Amino acid sequence: MARYTGPKTKIARKFGEAIFGPDKVLERRNFPPGQHGQNRRRKTSEYGIQLREKQKAKYTYGVLERQFRNLFEKAERTKGITGEVLLQLLESRLDNVVYRLGIAPTRAAARQMVLHRHIVVNGKVVNIPSYHVEAGTVVGVREKSKSLEVIADNLAGFNHAKYPWIEWDEATKSGKFLHTPDRADIPENIKEQLIVELYSK
């Protein structure tokens, strides 16, 4: 399935946020890209604001339009506040859980690790980035991959305590997905209600 592979700094500058992780260019040039990036004064419509928020969520979690729409429809059918449930479903994706565990530095890198069969779920190799991780599931590094320098470097000094819904076991290089995170615990700067309003039109 296709994924955005273009310049990530350009997208981050568009939203004015480091949605793909730390970005040195964004720190220096925190304004939209293009010739008139610093001089734009156009007022954005209500629809434009809602669309922008949806695009930001899609880029943040690395999900394409059809997948995102399917997740939204699933969130609508699920008991709870639709916008919050949508973010919880995104947080429960395997590639995102691998990223939250610190095994990979970015969600894109986490997706690649899953695709390359470095990740196990409850002891079995799973290579589907969109796999839904449920409460009680143990996600870890495959035995053959534990010696990889890149994984060791990523985990070195990573603060697992910042995500209260995950419990990390350093000895086994695995983490338990304790429960679906509450909205207040999800650090992403996404106004999910705007996405709900957009899809409700």
Side-chain angles (χ1 to χ4, degrees):
M1 183 175 283
R3 278 289 174 278
Y4 177 75
T5 57
K8 292 184 177 179
T9 294
K10 185 176 180 180
I11 298 299
R13 286 177 63 194
K14 175 182 176 182
F15 296 111
E17 296 177 36
I19 60 174
F20 297 112
D23 193 317
K24 292 181 180 178
V25 176
L26 182 65
E27 289 173 11
R28 297 195 314 269
R29 312 182 74 183
N30 191 11
F31 51 86
Q35 185 179 355
H36 306 291
Q38 288 179 288
N39 303 315
R40 290 181 184 170
R41 294 287 183 272
R42 239 179 358 184
K43 187 178 178 182
T44 308
S45 67
E46 182 186 10
Y47 173 79
I49 293 170
Q50 294 165 348
L51 180 63
R52 178 188 174 91
E53 208 62 27
K54 183 196 76 170
Q55 297 290 76
K56 183 167 72 172
K58 280 170 52 184
Y59 280 120
T60 298
Y61 286 96
V63 179
L64 291 178
E65 180 61 41
R66 183 174 290 181
Q67 276 184 311
F68 196 85
R69 181 80 198 209
N70 288 342
L71 281 171
F72 179 81
E73 289 174 356
K74 184 176 180 180
E76 275 191 314
R77 296 192 300 270
T78 304
K79 187 178 179 180
I81 302 170
T82 301
E84 290 186 18
V85 174
L86 173 63
L87 286 186
Q88 290 171 336
L89 288 172
L90 288 165
E91 283 289 330
S92 300
R93 283 172 54 98
L94 179 57
D95 53 0
N96 184 75
V97 174
V98 170
Y99 164 68
R100 293 292 190 209
L101 287 170
I103 299 170
T106 64
R107 289 184 178 87
R111 175 182 173 79
Q112 192 173 40
M113 281 188 183
V114 174
L115 288 170
H116 289 180
R117 305 174 69 85
H118 294 303
I119 303 301
V120 291
V121 176
N122 290 333
K124 294 183 179 180
V125 174
V126 175
N127 64 341
I128 303 168
S130 61
Y131 178 91
H132 180 71
V133 179
E134 297 182 342
T137 301
V138 176
V139 176
V141 181
R142 187 182 181 184
E143 195 62 42
K144 289 182 180 179
S145 305
K146 287 180 181 178
S147 59
L148 289 176
E149 189 177 336
V150 64
I151 292 178
D153 289 346
N154 293 335
L155 289 170
F158 187 83
N159 178 21
H160 292 95
K162 61 183 176 180
Y163 302 127
W165 65 93
I166 289 172
E167 186 179 75
W168 178 253
D169 186 336
E170 182 60 32
T172 61
K173 294 286 189 292
S174 64
K176 191 172 186 179
F177 191 76
L178 300 173
H179 57 81
T180 304
D182 295 328
R183 176 62 187 101
D185 291 328
I186 300 173
E188 306 306 332
N189 181 28
I190 294 171
K191 299 179 181 68
E192 63 274 9
Q193 184 54 36
L194 292 176
I195 301 172
V196 174
E197 291 169 7
L198 176 70
Y199 278 125
S200 300
K201 288 184 181 294

